[in-house]
Amino acid sequence: MKVLSFCHNSRASSPLPGFIIFFLTFYVHKMESAKFTVIGSPEPVTATLGQDTVLPCHLSPRMSAANMEVRWFRFEFLSFVHLYRDGVDQDEGQMPEYRGRTELSKAGLTDGNVPLRILSIRLSDEGQYRCFVQDDTFYEETILELRVAGLGSAPLISLEGHQDGGIWVVCRSAGWYPEPEVLWKHLNGRHLPSLSETKSRGDNNLFDTETAIVIKEYSNQNLSCCIRNTVLNQDKESAVYIADPFFPRVNPWMVALSVILMVSFGFIGLTVYLFKTKGKLTEEVGKRDLEIDKRDQEISKRDEEIEKRDQEISKRDEEIEKRDQEIRWRKHVAPIEEVNVTLDPDTAHPQLILSADGKSVRWAGTRQDLPNNPERFDTELCVLGCEGFTSGRHYWEVEVGDGLCWAVGVARESVRRKGGISFSPEEGIWAVRRLGDQFRALTSPATPLPLSQVPSRIRVCLDCDRGQVTFFDAGDQAPIFTFPPASVPGGRIRPWLRVVGSQLSLCP
């Protein structure tokens, strides 16, 4: 605090002291406000179909989580995978597909271990999971990725006729996930090219595979079919040896006899020739029919896959429609009101200059000679809006442009104005902030946000009845961050801005 007092008593015109104050204050309060961090697995967790798996999660530093809330969820905060609260597991609100399939080990709670065990892994379990831990008003979470993989049946090799002077060999297997890699190999390990390969999904949504190769005599009579799961890095392999008698041959004595018969009995030979010709035509027609049937089966399989994809798309469309209906319902029962916000000059830090209409604020770099009234921020470069809200749903928009150092949000009317303050919900501030190449939500500790999502205009939505603040990109309405419901307690809430080296404007 002595460093802060020294810097603010300085009347130097250089903006450098202001920046030093800003960064020192940020990191000091960051260290003071942090209680624990929730740590999961930096790499995706891989699980095998039908088996159990554990999603790791623990607190750092190590501390007891026995009296905390531990919530594992996927898409929606209120619809959870597993919830531990008030010392027991909670069933009401659990996703139906996880009932009876999740466990939270109580043995490690006192050491801060909160891993989730999922029993009998299914394909639908694949995706992101959030480990959320809350102690009173402080909470933190982390995201984990679960990958699901399945080993199919051992390859079945069959000999299915002659083709091109060789034997048509087919390898089949079923029950793989994700789509497997199929290889033909010679006894010495050399890979052999396949002539056809088909992969399709069965009714259980697992992959079935069929691949074929032509083997000729004295070439690759020893071979194997290997099917590999690239996620588990495991494979199943079957081998076969094709003996010489299986290969097609032409008997020279039969050829000589045929020639003699054709020479000796011309008429009979002609008749035999005609019958042979007819037989060949019939065989070719039969082959074409088989090929047509095979193509029809492939087309039918593709049609089934297309139909399944259409059903998945239809299901996603229904989910989107459901969310849209919920949004429309919320707007209907609790309409949101656009408010005209102006800035309160009596609260502005002496280094901030407000426009005459109270719609914009910029950083001056030097301290103005203003009365040090109780409402004014004297250390942090902040200003409050004139308007305050205690009920209803309201929104306003702030133009941030391409500024590199700013914060936008709301604050309690009773927020501390004198001395250094912590930019966090515990202090009474709910906001998002850009600091150079960092874009964060000011939770405790701060939550990193993608820098690519930094908008030029931010919409601030305050729901006093639910105690929730949400930030949107005002350009495309994309959500940026939402403080959980009940984060903002009762009382009068006012717009809040922080400006360093830039300018912010309230949109009409």
Side-chain angles (χ1 to χ4, degrees):
M1 295 305 297
K2 290 183 179 180
V3 174
L4 291 175
S5 175
F6 172 81
C7 293
H8 281 284
N9 287 334
S10 174
R11 298 287 181 167
S13 60
S14 172
L16 183 59
F19 279 113
I20 295 176
I21 294 169
F22 175 80
F23 287 115
L24 288 178
T25 304
F26 167 74
Y27 286 111
V28 168
H29 291 296
K30 173 71 176 178
M31 294 172 61
E32 292 177 351
S33 62
K35 291 186 176 180
F36 60 79
T37 301
V38 178
I39 299 176
S41 172
E43 300 296 331
V45 178
T46 301
T48 304
L49 279 172
Q51 298 184 9
D52 303 344
T53 193
V54 175
L55 299 179
C57 186
H58 69 272
L59 305 183
S60 179
R62 297 285 185 174
M63 63 181 66
S64 176
N67 297 321
M68 298 183 184
E69 174 181 320
V70 180
R71 182 186 297 261
W72 284 87
F73 66 99
R74 298 194 63 183
F75 314 111
E76 298 180 5
F77 183 82
L78 298 179
S79 183
F80 53 83
V81 175
H82 194 97
L83 175 61
Y84 170 85
R85 185 169 58 196
D86 299 329
V88 295
D89 295 323
Q90 307 288 335
D91 296 331
E92 185 176 356
Q94 186 180 24
M95 298 174 69
E97 58 266 34
Y98 290 97
R99 288 176 184 166
R101 295 180 54 234
T102 61
E103 296 176 356
L104 186 71
S105 175
K106 309 301 187 299
L109 284 174
T110 55
D111 295 328
N113 291 317
V114 291
L116 177 68
R117 177 181 293 275
I118 304 178
L119 309 179
S120 300
I121 288 295
R122 306 171 181 173
L123 280 182
S124 57
D125 297 334
E126 189 170 61
Q128 286 190 346
Y129 289 76
R130 294 175 181 266
C131 178
F132 174 95
V133 183
Q134 180 172 349
D135 182 14
D136 297 329
T137 59
F138 180 85
Y139 67 90
E140 179 61 286
E141 68 175 24
T142 188
I143 300 176
L144 297 87
E145 181 78 18
L146 175 63
R147 290 183 182 173
V148 176
L151 285 175
S153 61
L156 176 62
I157 301 176
S158 59
L159 310 183
E160 301 192 359
H162 299 142
Q163 181 171 323
D164 299 332
I167 298 177
W168 182 263
V169 185
V170 179
C171 174
R172 297 181 178 91
S173 182
W176 294 83
Y177 187 85
E179 184 174 319
E181 181 183 72
V182 183
L183 295 173
W184 288 102
K185 295 192 296 184
H186 188 260
L187 186 62
N188 59 14
R190 179 170 56 89
H191 291 176
L192 303 174
S194 61
L195 294 183
S196 70
E197 184 174 314
T198 302
K199 295 174 185 175
S200 60
R201 280 191 165 183
D203 296 337
N204 55 6
N205 218 24
L206 301 179
F207 283 94
D208 301 337
T209 180
E210 177 179 312
T211 182
I213 190 173
V214 171
I215 298 301
K216 297 186 178 181
E217 191 176 9
Y218 311 124
S219 58
N220 300 303
Q221 295 177 231
N222 279 299
L223 75 157
S224 66
C225 177
C226 176
I227 304 180
R228 173 177 293 274
N229 187 306
T230 56
V231 175
L232 297 175
N233 198 25
Q234 298 181 33
D235 56 47
K236 291 190 176 182
E237 186 172 1
S238 297
V240 65
Y241 172 75
I242 304 175
D244 294 343
F246 286 95
F247 290 93
R249 283 184 170 79
V250 178
N251 192 322
W253 292 104
M254 290 298 296
V255 175
L257 181 59
S258 298
V259 172
I260 294 172
L261 289 175
M262 288 178 65
V263 172
S264 303
F265 307 97
F267 178 78
I268 297 175
L270 179 60
T271 303
V272 172
Y273 173 77
L274 292 175
F275 274 103
K276 282 187 176 182
T277 303
K278 182 179 179 181
K280 288 183 178 179
L281 291 174
T282 303
E283 183 180 355
E284 290 177 358
V285 171
K287 285 185 178 180
R288 284 198 297 269
D289 290 341
L290 289 175
E291 291 176 355
I292 291 173
D293 290 341
K294 186 176 180 180
R295 285 197 295 269
D296 289 342
Q297 291 176 2
E298 292 176 353
I299 292 172
S300 178
K301 287 182 180 179
R302 285 198 294 268
D303 291 340
E304 290 176 359
E305 293 175 357
I306 292 172
E307 183 178 355
K308 288 182 180 178
R309 286 198 295 269
D310 291 341
Q311 291 175 355
E312 292 174 354
I313 293 173
S314 177
K315 184 177 179 180
R316 286 197 295 268
D317 291 341
E318 290 176 0
E319 293 175 352
I320 292 173
E321 177 62 22
K322 182 178 178 181
R323 288 197 295 268
D324 291 342
Q325 289 177 357
E326 181 179 358
I327 292 173
R328 289 194 295 269
W329 177 82
R330 289 183 178 179
K331 289 182 177 179
H332 176 72
V333 299
I336 187 167
E337 175 191 8
E338 181 179 9
V339 293
N340 183 18
V341 175
T342 55
L343 299 176
D344 185 353
D346 292 336
T347 65
H349 185 276
Q351 290 188 21
L352 300 181
I353 298 178
L354 274 59
S355 62
D357 59 0
K359 301 294 287 185
S360 66
V361 57
R362 63 182 177 87
W363 182 58
T366 58
R367 196 178 185 91
Q368 304 173 85
D369 187 12
L370 297 174
N372 188 20
N373 51 290
E375 296 85 2
R376 189 179 307 282
F377 290 94
D378 67 348
T379 301
E380 304 296 346
L381 303 173
C382 306
V383 61
L384 294 176
C386 294
E387 294 72 21
F389 309 99
T390 58
S391 63
R393 301 173 69 228
H394 316 277
Y395 80 89
W396 59 92
E397 295 182 357
V398 182
E399 188 78 37
V400 299
D402 56 358
L404 298 179
C405 195
W406 48 262
V408 173
V410 299
R412 279 198 299 257
E413 187 170 52
S414 59
V415 67
R416 190 151 46 97
R417 319 290 176 85
K418 306 301 180 183
I421 61 176
S422 171
F423 305 123
S424 65
E426 289 80 6
E427 188 73 52
I429 295 173
W430 299 266
V432 293
R433 177 184 63 192
R434 179 172 186 178
L435 179 59
D437 60 353
Q438 296 182 351
F439 186 39
R440 302 186 175 214
L442 296 182
T443 54
S444 296
T447 301
L449 302 173
L451 193 63
S452 59
Q453 290 187 358
V454 179
S456 60
R457 177 184 290 194
I458 294 179
R459 174 174 291 184
V460 184
C461 297
L462 172 63
D463 189 335
C464 297
D465 300 330
R466 297 189 67 193
Q468 180 173 296
V469 182
T470 303
F471 299 89
F472 293 89
D473 184 336
D476 58 8
Q477 303 302 312
I480 299 174
F481 185 80
T482 298
F483 284 86
S487 297
V488 183
R492 190 175 178 84
I493 303 298
R494 296 171 67 176
W496 176 86
L497 302 177
R498 189 169 192 272
V499 187
V500 180
S502 58
Q503 176 172 319
L504 303 182
S505 299
L506 295 166
C507 302

